[in-house]
């Protein structure tokens, strides 16, 4: 069955460092992968989309890579700030049959 | 203006009752979704509607029935509520298929006593 894992349930880093979050999947061949941010008590907010034929996408301090051979996506936040503290979810799909990962709760410490 | 809105935000009810959650989007999107996020924070898709037609119906009990009166609305009706239905329910919308970003509502926290 399809399985999506995100590297850890929680990740603590110091302000100013680069946060790297991992999304791994098995028994799945996604056409695209998305990353969302979720703050407590709120709905997820879309951050980035990367398609299977793309290796890397950037948006301001965010960078996403997608390796279909390793079946893995890496999500980087450079120059992290306390305001980046949130839960980050990866989501995979063909079409609209979305499957979300369990999320990684990131805490950026001042 | 709120892009995707849900009512109510909180819903506390007894087992066996029937309840509805409403969702509206003002983004002009043609696709809407219902998700369930349980206490372990897993976000699972329940239903998806495209142009008012059901296109995804995951393994969800028949007690859950979505209704889309028009493209801007997708309501969720739940019959005979059970303790295990307690969760946060999110509505979302997107334009078209193929991975376009989804816009989520603020969620409805359902507690079944």
């Amino acid at each position: 069955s399809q399985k999506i894992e995100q590297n850890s349930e929680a990740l603590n880093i110091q302000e100013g460092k680069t946060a790297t979050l991992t999304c791994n999947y098995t028994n799945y061949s996604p056409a695209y992968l998305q990353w969302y941010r979720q703050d407590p008590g709120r709905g997820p907010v879309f951050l980035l989309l990367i398609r299977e034929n793309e290796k890397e996408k950037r948006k301001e301090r965010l960078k996403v890579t997608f390796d279909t051979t390793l079946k893995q996506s890496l999500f980087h936040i450079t120059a992290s700030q306390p305001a980046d503290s949130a839960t980050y979810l990866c989501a995979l799909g063909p079409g609209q049959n979305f499957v979300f990962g369990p999320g990684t709760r990131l805490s950026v410490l001042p | 203006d709120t892009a995707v809105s849900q009512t109510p935000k909180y819903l506390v009810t007894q087992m066996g009752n029937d309840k509805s959650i409403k969702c509206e989007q003002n983004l002009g999107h043609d696709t809407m979704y219902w998700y369930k996020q349980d206490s372990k924070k897993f976000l699972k898709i329940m239903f998806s509607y495209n142009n008012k037609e059901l296109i995804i119906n995951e393994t969800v009990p028949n007690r859950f029935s979505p209704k889309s009166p028009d493209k801007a609305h997708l309501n969720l009706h739940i019959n005979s509520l059970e303790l295990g239905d307690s969760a946060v329910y999110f509505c979302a919308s997107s334009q078209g298929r193929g991975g376009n970003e989804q816009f989520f509502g603020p969620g409805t926290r359902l507690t079944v006593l």
Side-chain angles (χ1 to χ4, degrees), chain A residues 32 34 36 38 41-44 46 49 51 95-98 100 102, chain B residues 31 33 35 37 42-43 55-56 58 90 96-99 101-102 104:
Chain A
Y32 61 86
Q34 297 185 356
Y36 287 78
Q38 186 173 23
R42 293 179 173 265
F46 172 83
L49 160 74
R51 299 191 184 275
Q96 286 150 328
N97 195 13
F98 250 28
F100 275 86
Chain B
T31 307
Y33 313 80
Y35 287 88
Q37 190 168 44
F42 279 93
L43 194 62
I55 55 171
I56 293 175
E58 292 296 308
F90 287 101
R97 306 185 182 201
E101 68 174 285
Q102 296 189 15
F104 282 79

Side-chain angles (χ1 to χ4, degrees), chain B residues 16-67:
Chain B
N17 284 349
D18 303 338
K19 290 293 177 186
S20 292
I21 306 172
K22 295 187 175 183
C23 177
E24 177 181 0
Q25 55 97 1
N26 62 6
L27 298 167
H29 289 165
D30 60 2
T31 307
M32 295 184 72
Y33 313 80
W34 276 110
Y35 287 88
K36 178 181 180 180
Q37 190 168 44
D38 60 25
S39 57
K40 293 185 178 178
K41 305 299 183 187
F42 279 93
L43 194 62
K44 290 186 180 177
I45 191 166
M46 300 173 67
F47 301 102
S48 174
Y49 268 74
N50 177 260
N51 286 316
K52 300 196 313 173
E53 288 189 25
L54 181 65
I55 55 171
I56 293 175
N57 181 356
E58 292 296 308
T59 309
V60 176
N62 290 339
R63 299 181 294 103
F64 290 79
S65 54
K67 285 252 169 49

Side-chain angles (χ1 to χ4, degrees), chain B residues 73-110:
Chain B
H73 296 84
L74 181 62
N75 304 323
L76 183 65
H77 188 75
I78 315 170
N79 289 327
S80 303
L81 278 156
E82 300 177 357
L83 293 177
D85 297 332
S86 295
V88 180
Y89 292 84
F90 287 101
C91 176
S93 72
S94 69
Q95 180 55 35
R97 306 185 182 201
N100 293 329
E101 68 174 285
Q102 296 189 15
F103 291 78
F104 282 79
T108 295
R109 180 174 293 278
L110 171 65

Side-chain angles (χ1 to χ4, degrees), chain A residues 29-105:
Chain A
S29 295
Y32 61 86
L33 189 148
Q34 297 185 356
W35 284 89
Y36 287 78
R37 167 184 173 141
Q38 186 173 23
D39 291 286
R42 293 179 173 265
V45 174
F46 172 83
L47 296 174
L48 281 168
L49 160 74
I50 187 165
R51 299 191 184 275
E52 60 179 336
N53 60 347
E54 298 173 319
K55 294 292 184 189
E56 183 179 297
K57 270 279 185 73
R58 290 175 186 261
K59 179 182 176 183
E60 297 171 353
R61 295 185 294 112
L62 308 180
K63 185 177 90 171
V64 172
T65 63
F66 193 9
D67 189 326
T68 54
T69 302
L70 291 178
K71 295 186 183 294
Q72 180 181 79
S73 173
L74 298 179
F75 177 79
H76 306 274
I77 306 175
T78 58
S80 60
Q81 304 164 2
D84 295 326
S85 298
T87 296
Y88 291 86
L89 306 165
C90 65
L92 287 71
Q96 286 150 328
N97 195 13
F98 250 28
V99 180
F100 275 86
T104 295
R105 189 172 66 252

